[in-house]
Amino acid sequence: MGPNFHLKTLVVAVAAFSVASIGNAAGLDRSGQDITAFLQDGLYAEASYTYIDAKVSGHDNAYIGDDNNGYQQGKKIDDIAESYDFFRYGVKADINDTFSVGILYDEPFGAAADYSGDNNFVAKGDTSATINSVSRGKFANVTEALGAQAFLQGEIDRTTDPELKAALTKQKRDVDIALGATQAELNSKGEGTNVEVRSESITGILGMNFGVNKNFQVYGGPVAQQIQADVKLRGLAYGPATGYTAHLSSGKDYGWLAGLSYSKPEIALKAALTYRSEIDHSIPIHEQYPAVGLEMGSSIDITTPESVNFDFQTGVNPTTLATAKVRYVPWSDFNIVPPLYTAVSKAKYPDGLPLVSYDDDQWVVELGLAKRLTPALAVTGNIGWDSGAGNPVTSLGPIEGYYSAGLGAKYNVTENWAVSAGGKYLWFGDAEGKTPTQDIVSNFEDNDGYILGVKVSYQAQ
């Protein structure tokens, strides 16, 4: 008979890898929606904390003209990535040898970016620069724009030709918006672009073991999720939208989870495939759009994306465990479409513009090894890759995925209690930042970050 790979003997668990397994990933992905706490043997409980610190800096775009892709390196953009942290909790218990139940809490989606300094993402109150930028070089200063405004209004009043009147009215509207944006830039002088997104999720899971040796398990359950956000667009980079502000209040809605797992304890093999559904949110939102003098409260529909996670582990020898994680999220289907912002954009873009959207789907792959050094101590190492969600990408999160390398350790304080700690270094992919109008407004290169995590766990078999 081959060697026994029982996890109890190895003193290692997949959970030791998930301390700092995901963070600052594509789109708004944060926790990776890990369910490995539910996959543990016997009675299991954990509480973990993850801290993310990233450096994301670059240059704004000094180009002024009609080419959306035109780029000329401009002023330095200092680090926009705010440090970020989140918690995860999980409890799982066996009712009998067939049924198991669990409750998981995590913070699956989020963002934290803050622009400062002297660049096109900070309102400088320079009226000449604003009117020149927003009008794409048509007006050098406010005086010229006011002259054009008066001239167009006079022509509108004089003409009796409906088609000419409509064309002149459209031209005047563009001048009006440019002048409104100039005033908004002046009023918000010194303020920088800022975004913060927070979410919380509680998942209830019921699992049922089946098969001759109870090696298979199907599981599923409801998911309750809430999300809130604050967005401030400031500076010349956003053209007429400079000064736009939105607050999305917390709203709770529901989805579901389902999965299938297989285990073979004699070689410490576990494999699980988990699907999470989309969750449709209807959230109160308050918007201000100073360039057009509008402010309103309404509601916004946001659908957080579905996802598929694959978790795998197997014993290599009696003291070594290999692991793999794969995650897929279709971020290309996700967008944020605030009612007022989109309605104003229809003046130039008939279909309207989303505030945030992504071009590509996300893939994450992590491979790891765990090694027992003593009966109570095990160490882990892993490498990872995140595909990102497209390039160019929204200027509110300008990175294109990452490569990562991490180390961790798990120490069994007693037979049942353990402490795990880990860290990961991230090499971010270079990315160009774009606005909803698809204009290239920045370029970010050579950025990195790190993740630290700690976990306390209890297990009784």
Side-chain angles (χ1 to χ4, degrees):
M1 181 179 291
N4 192 317
F5 289 89
H6 286 298
L7 288 180
K8 193 72 172 178
T9 305
L10 277 172
V11 199
V12 209
V14 171
F17 282 89
S18 62
V19 173
S21 63
I22 300 288
N24 222 79
L28 300 177
D29 214 11
R30 284 298 176 265
S31 72
Q33 299 180 298
D34 186 88
I35 70 150
T36 50
F38 181 76
L39 302 177
Q40 302 308 303
D41 296 326
L43 175 64
Y44 180 83
E46 69 173 37
S48 65
Y49 169 78
T50 301
Y51 174 83
I52 304 168
D53 195 344
K55 181 184 76 69
V56 181
S57 60
H59 293 85
D60 68 17
N61 190 357
Y63 171 81
I64 295 178
D66 293 325
D67 182 2
N68 284 8
N69 295 313
Y71 180 79
Q72 178 183 338
Q73 182 171 304
K75 294 180 179 179
K76 173 75 172 178
I77 299 174
D78 294 327
D79 184 13
I80 69 168
E82 295 186 293
S83 60
Y84 194 94
D85 61 359
F86 58 85
F87 291 89
R88 284 187 293 196
Y89 308 100
V91 178
K92 175 260 180 180
D94 294 330
I95 299 174
N96 50 44
D97 64 352
T98 299
F99 294 101
S100 301
V101 293
I103 298 178
L104 307 177
Y105 167 88
D106 73 341
E107 300 178 34
F109 306 115
D114 188 17
Y115 286 82
S116 60
D118 180 17
N119 56 70
N120 288 343
F121 295 86
V122 177
K124 295 188 282 289
D126 185 335
T127 57
S128 294
T130 304
I131 200 70
N132 186 38
S133 176
V134 175
S135 69
R136 295 185 180 269
K138 293 183 177 65
F139 305 116
N141 51 57
V142 172
T143 301
E144 289 185 7
L146 289 170
Q149 184 186 54
F151 171 79
L152 289 168
Q153 185 60 59
E155 293 298 304
I156 291 170
D157 294 339
R158 280 190 290 272
T159 185
T160 58
D161 184 335
E163 291 186 3
L164 178 58
K165 185 184 287 286
L168 291 170
T169 300
K170 183 179 183 303
Q171 291 180 43
K172 182 177 177 294
R173 183 178 61 240
D174 291 342
V175 178
D176 291 343
I177 291 175
L179 285 167
T182 302
Q183 186 61 50
E185 177 82 357
L186 188 61
N187 292 342
S188 59
K189 181 178 180 180
E191 296 181 12
T193 295
N194 178 273
V195 59
E196 183 170 2
V197 179
R198 282 281 187 176
S199 66
E200 295 179 291
S201 182
I202 297 177
T203 303
I205 307 179
L206 173 65
M208 184 183 74
N209 299 318
F210 65 97
V212 176
N213 298 311
K214 305 288 189 180
N215 293 102
F216 291 92
Q217 182 184 52
V218 291
Y219 53 89
V223 179
Q225 186 182 98
Q226 64 180 20
I227 188 168
Q228 60 187 43
D230 286 282
V231 178
K232 295 180 179 179
L233 305 183
R234 301 291 186 269
L236 305 183
Y238 295 101
T242 183
Y244 173 83
T245 300
H247 172 68
L248 286 70
S249 303
S250 177
K252 183 180 292 183
D253 288 283
Y254 302 89
W256 53 274
L257 165 153
L260 174 68
S261 67
Y262 172 78
S263 65
K264 192 172 184 180
E266 56 268 30
I267 59 171
L269 186 150
K270 289 187 178 183
L273 186 66
T274 307
Y275 172 82
R276 285 181 179 267
S277 72
E278 296 179 337
I279 298 181
D280 296 324
H281 294 268
S282 183
I283 305 172
I285 182 174
H286 184 268
E287 299 175 84
Q288 295 173 293
Y289 207 130
V292 294
L294 293 176
E295 178 177 352
M296 63 179 257
S298 57
S299 65
I300 179 174
D301 294 329
I302 295 177
T303 299
T304 53
E306 62 185 348
S307 64
V308 178
N309 282 23
F310 176 68
D311 296 280
F312 177 83
Q313 69 172 49
T314 187
V316 178
N317 59 49
T319 62
T320 306
L321 191 74
T323 67
K325 287 175 175 285
V326 179
R327 175 169 168 80
Y328 170 75
V329 186
W331 282 108
S332 61
D333 297 332
F334 175 83
N335 55 49
I336 298 177
V337 186
L340 177 57
Y341 181 93
T342 303
V344 172
S345 72
K346 287 182 179 179
K348 188 173 183 179
Y349 303 90
D351 294 331
L353 295 175
L355 180 62
V356 175
S357 63
Y358 299 95
D359 294 332
D360 296 339
D361 297 337
Q362 172 198 15
W363 286 92
V364 183
V365 179
E366 290 188 354
L367 304 174
L369 285 174
K371 177 72 175 178
R372 175 171 64 84
L373 301 182
T374 73
L377 177 66
V379 295
T380 69
N382 60 68
I383 57 174
W385 168 75
D386 185 303
S387 67
N391 185 25
V393 69
T394 172
S395 55
L396 302 179
I399 62 171
E400 187 188 16
Y402 62 74
Y403 290 95
S404 68
L407 294 173
K410 182 182 180 184
Y411 181 75
N412 278 45
V413 181
T414 69
E415 182 181 356
N416 302 117
W417 288 94
V419 176
S420 303
K424 176 181 289 185
Y425 186 80
L426 309 173
W427 293 268
F428 295 135
D430 298 343
E432 292 179 312
K434 67 177 181 179
T435 61
T437 60
Q438 305 301 307
D439 291 314
I440 303 300
V441 290
S442 57
N443 188 47
F444 290 81
E445 297 179 337
D446 302 324
N447 290 308
D448 56 14
Y450 65 88
I451 307 171
L452 300 175
V454 62
K455 175 185 293 183
V456 176
S457 61
Y458 175 88
Q459 187 168 28
Q461 299 185 40

